[in-house]
Amino acid sequence: MEDDKFKIAKEDLEDLEIYIKEFSDFLPLAVCSVNPVGVIINVNKAAEDLTKYASLELVGEPMSALFSDKNKVEEIEKEIANKGSVHGRELILVAKDKKEIPMSVSASMRKDTEGNYIGYFIGLTNITELKKFQEGLEVKVKERTKELEDSKKSLIKTLDDVKEARENAEEEKNKTLSIITNFTDGLLVFDKGGKLSLINPQAETFLQVKSKDVIEKSILDLKTIPVFGSIVKIFNEKAKRAAKQELSFGTSLILEGSAVPIVRREKKIGTLIILHNITREKSIERMKSDFVSLTAHQLRTPLSGIKWALKLLLKGDFGETTKEQKKFAEEMSRSTEKMISLIGNLLDITKIEEGRYIFEKVSSDMEKVILSAVSLYKKEIENKKFKFKFKKPKNGARVKMDAEKIKLAVDNLLDNAIKYTKPGGRLELELSCGIKEVEFKIKDSGMGIPKNQQERVFNKFFRGDNIMKIQTEGTGLGLFITKNIIEAHGGKIWFKSEEGRGTTFYFTLPI
């Protein structure tokens, strides 16, 4: 009978050890286990991805070999041995590809049951992006070990009969909880039944709750707590594998919440919600938008005055002008128009970032909107002798939309297709209507987009290298604005492109 109990308990602990190992590999934080002499004995998947080394390449190597300043690593190891842990130390990690990556390093001492020092866990966080916004920022993590010690005591009491197996499981659990406790992002773990099983100290700070007040509560119970309203919305998101949402708690705290399913043996066993503090980034974006908006408004008025003055000058309202004077005036007029267009784009971006770009949506004829945009380029299409074709649906296509903005989106796509396609090329438009959405396609035989730059196509100010070599004019804002217009209507936009052979842009809008 005692043997059966021992066997069952041992099997349970083995499952727990596997679970903890899988959970450790699942976490986005890179973690290494190091022995007392500073040699790596274990790494998780995130550490392999970060360093570009395989696990077998890292195990057996000194921890200091991964960093540019080996003396600092030795100092950290001494401090771990003396004090038990270190937090938020900045080091430069040298990856396998020789790339130097700024890191925030946190470590915690490992002890056996007799209190002997057996090494340490070290967590590595890539702070490259953070460095861009806040130079010299020191990552501070508050040490929280009370829950860990309580869990340890409880585990010791229940597993006295399987001491050796319990110690192995305890070591893995300590590693995972140490990572979670010291994680700079807030973490909430829900089991498969929707009950909150874990909340780390940073999440408690963000949400201003205590773990004892929310642990073991179901998602429905948490919904009654105001601060959990947005968390529940993320939890209930089923459409995507990893749902993200911005959570605002006034102007003093803005978080980005991500919900990721926890999968074991191809079965969902829970949900991990990660809360990342983006308050500083949003504050910088807001200041940038305010500056751009103010500057653009201040420039638009005098430029408009210059535009009309030049128009009157060219009309001869100020007297006859020489050919040379007229030439200079025309160049000034074109430059002024470009500046006014750029300012308009900057103001559009400001409105997009403030969420007030799309106005009232009304049912409109999509075909008429497209033809209205095409009419602006009719002369240019004829001059460049394009093989132009527009395929339309038989019964038309009506969409609830802000027609002016959709026309601008089509205009931006047309402008790029015409501008970057040589004379005599092809330009094909197609509008199709489905049950739930309409799809618009514009295909050209132009220069195409380099494959290594296609991920950046919808970024602000992006212009392809092949375009920059032959044409310096352009702001790189058109596709960014177009993408935001389509997505604000609940649609999707994408493209296919091959450099030297042309590009096809697609977008859909719900009916």
Side-chain angles (χ1 to χ4, degrees):
M1 193 68 175
E2 290 296 325
D3 289 342
D4 290 341
K5 289 182 178 179
F6 180 85
K7 184 178 179 182
I8 292 170
K10 186 175 181 181
E11 289 175 353
D12 289 342
L13 284 171
E14 288 174 351
D15 286 343
L16 177 61
E17 185 177 351
I18 293 171
Y19 171 77
I20 293 172
K21 176 66 169 60
E22 291 177 349
F23 187 75
S24 172
D25 285 342
F26 168 75
L27 285 174
L29 179 68
V31 180
C32 303
S33 297
V34 184
N35 70 11
V37 295
V39 175
I40 300 170
I41 58 175
N42 190 25
V43 300
N44 70 347
K45 182 65 171 55
E48 294 183 68
D49 295 339
L50 179 66
T51 63
K52 309 301 182 187
Y53 286 105
S55 176
L56 291 177
E57 294 177 291
L58 292 171
V59 172
E61 294 295 324
M63 192 66 204
S64 59
L66 287 175
F67 299 94
S68 60
D69 193 335
K70 295 174 175 52
N71 291 331
K72 281 190 178 181
V73 178
E74 292 175 1
E75 290 174 6
I76 288 174
E77 290 178 335
K78 289 179 182 178
E79 189 171 344
I80 294 169
N82 292 331
K83 296 183 179 180
S85 64
V86 296
H87 304 289
R89 300 299 173 82
E90 291 188 10
L91 292 173
I92 301 298
L93 182 141
V94 183
K96 186 176 181 179
D97 57 6
K98 306 303 180 184
K99 182 179 179 181
E100 294 189 349
I101 308 170
M103 289 286 132
S104 174
V105 175
S106 296
S108 179
M109 178 190 292
R110 297 168 53 213
K111 294 181 180 180
D112 60 20
T113 54
E114 297 177 355
N116 297 316
Y117 174 54
I118 60 170
Y120 60 90
F121 300 119
I122 185 164
L124 309 175
T125 302
N126 187 337
I127 58 172
T128 303
E129 292 300 321
L130 186 59
K131 281 289 185 180
K132 294 178 181 178
F133 293 102
Q134 187 180 14
E135 294 183 4
L137 178 65
E138 296 181 358
V139 178
K140 297 180 180 180
V141 181
K142 296 181 181 179
E143 185 177 1
R144 290 289 193 84
T145 58
K146 186 177 182 301
E147 287 183 329
L148 181 61
E149 293 300 324
D150 291 343
S151 298
K152 183 177 179 181
K153 291 175 184 177
S154 175
L155 194 58
I156 290 173
K157 290 178 182 179
T158 56
L159 301 176
D160 285 336
D161 294 335
V162 283
K163 184 176 180 180
E164 183 177 354
R166 189 269 309 156
E167 288 174 354
N168 292 334
E170 182 71 15
E171 182 177 346
E172 291 298 322
K173 184 177 181 180
N174 287 349
K175 178 174 68 174
T176 301
L177 289 180
S178 178
I179 293 166
I180 292 171
T181 300
N182 294 287
F183 208 51
T184 54
D185 287 342
L187 298 178
L188 300 95
V189 179
F190 292 86
D191 63 22
K192 62 182 179 181
K195 285 187 177 181
L196 182 63
S197 58
L198 183 147
I199 178 170
N200 76 338
Q202 190 61 60
E204 291 182 73
T205 301
F206 285 155
L207 302 176
Q208 296 184 351
V209 296
K210 295 294 183 183
S211 62
K212 64 181 180 180
D213 298 328
V214 293
I215 289 294
E216 293 301 315
K217 285 193 174 184
S218 70
I219 197 71
L220 292 176
D221 293 332
L222 293 172
K223 193 175 181 180
T224 62
I225 303 174
V227 75
F228 273 88
S230 299
I231 304 296
V232 173
K233 188 174 180 181
I234 298 174
F235 180 88
N236 290 331
E237 176 63 53
K238 303 293 184 184
K240 299 178 182 178
R241 179 171 175 81
K244 287 188 177 182
Q245 183 178 324
E246 188 176 301
L247 314 176
S248 181
F249 300 87
T251 57
S252 59
L253 179 63
I254 303 174
L255 305 176
E256 181 184 72
S258 305
V260 183
I262 302 172
V263 180
R264 181 185 177 194
R265 296 173 184 171
E266 299 183 354
K267 291 184 178 180
K268 183 179 176 180
I269 60 173
T271 301
L272 172 68
I273 292 181
I274 304 170
L275 303 176
H276 180 61
N277 191 344
I278 57 171
T279 307
R280 177 176 173 77
E281 290 91 332
K282 287 295 177 181
S283 176
I284 292 172
E285 285 182 12
R286 192 162 50 249
M287 287 189 290
K288 180 187 67 177
S289 294
D290 290 344
F291 173 76
V292 170
S293 178
L294 177 63
T295 304
H297 278 294
Q298 291 295 323
L299 287 172
R300 188 161 62 174
T301 300
L303 282 172
S304 295
I306 294 171
K307 172 186 173 181
W308 290 111
L310 288 169
K311 187 175 182 180
L312 293 173
L313 180 64
L314 290 169
K315 285 173 64 179
D317 288 4
F318 300 135
E320 291 296 326
T321 56
T322 65
K323 288 185 178 180
E324 187 176 3
Q325 289 172 335
K326 187 175 181 180
K327 179 182 176 181
F328 280 119
E330 287 173 346
E331 289 179 359
M332 289 172 64
S333 181
R334 284 193 292 270
S335 297
T336 303
E337 289 288 353
K338 290 176 184 177
M339 285 294 293
I340 291 173
S341 176
L342 173 59
I343 288 169
N345 285 338
L346 292 174
L347 288 172
D348 284 344
I349 288 175
T350 302
K351 291 175 184 176
I352 287 169
E353 292 174 340
E354 292 174 355
R356 57 183 182 88
Y357 190 56
I358 302 300
F359 296 104
E360 185 178 356
K361 299 176 187 177
V362 297
S363 179
S364 305
D365 189 328
M366 186 67 185
E367 182 181 329
K368 288 184 178 179
V369 172
I370 294 170
L371 289 172
S372 176
V374 171
S375 67
L376 300 175
Y377 295 94
K378 186 176 180 181
K379 187 175 181 181
E380 195 167 354
I381 291 172
E382 291 174 352
N383 290 340
K384 297 187 81 171
K385 298 180 180 179
F386 285 143
K387 299 176 181 67
F388 179 77
K389 183 170 65 175
F390 181 18
K391 185 178 179 181
K392 315 164 191 177
K394 292 181 179 179
N395 300 321
R398 296 196 69 82
V399 178
K400 193 173 182 180
M401 60 179 167
D402 182 336
E404 181 184 346
K405 297 300 186 295
I406 294 298
K407 179 183 175 183
L408 176 59
V410 174
D411 179 82
N412 286 337
L413 296 175
L414 270 170
D415 184 61
N416 283 346
I418 293 170
K419 188 185 299 180
Y420 303 128
T421 300
K422 293 180 180 179
R426 296 190 323 275
L427 182 59
E428 300 175 6
L429 278 60
E430 182 178 344
L431 178 65
S432 58
C433 187
I435 298 174
K436 295 183 178 180
E437 62 184 19
V438 297
E439 180 179 295
F440 175 66
K441 179 175 78 172
I442 176 167
K443 181 178 182 181
D444 65 56
S445 58
M447 300 179 65
I449 303 165
K451 189 173 182 180
N452 63 347
Q453 295 184 317
Q454 291 184 6
E455 290 184 357
R456 298 165 49 210
V457 162
F458 294 112
N459 290 357
K460 280 184 287 190
F461 307 112
F462 169 77
R463 302 190 73 216
D465 288 343
N466 55 343
I467 299 299
M468 295 291 285
K469 289 176 182 177
I470 64 167
Q471 184 177 7
T472 57
E473 292 183 1
T475 63
L477 296 174
L479 289 177
F480 172 81
I481 293 172
T482 298
K483 181 175 185 289
N484 279 274
I485 289 172
I486 300 304
E487 291 182 348
H489 282 79
K492 293 183 293 183
I493 184 168
W494 69 100
F495 69 93
K496 295 177 183 178
S497 184
E498 186 176 346
E499 189 172 5
R501 302 194 65 178
T503 302
T504 304
F505 274 91
Y506 308 80
F507 71 74
T508 60
L509 295 174
I511 294 177

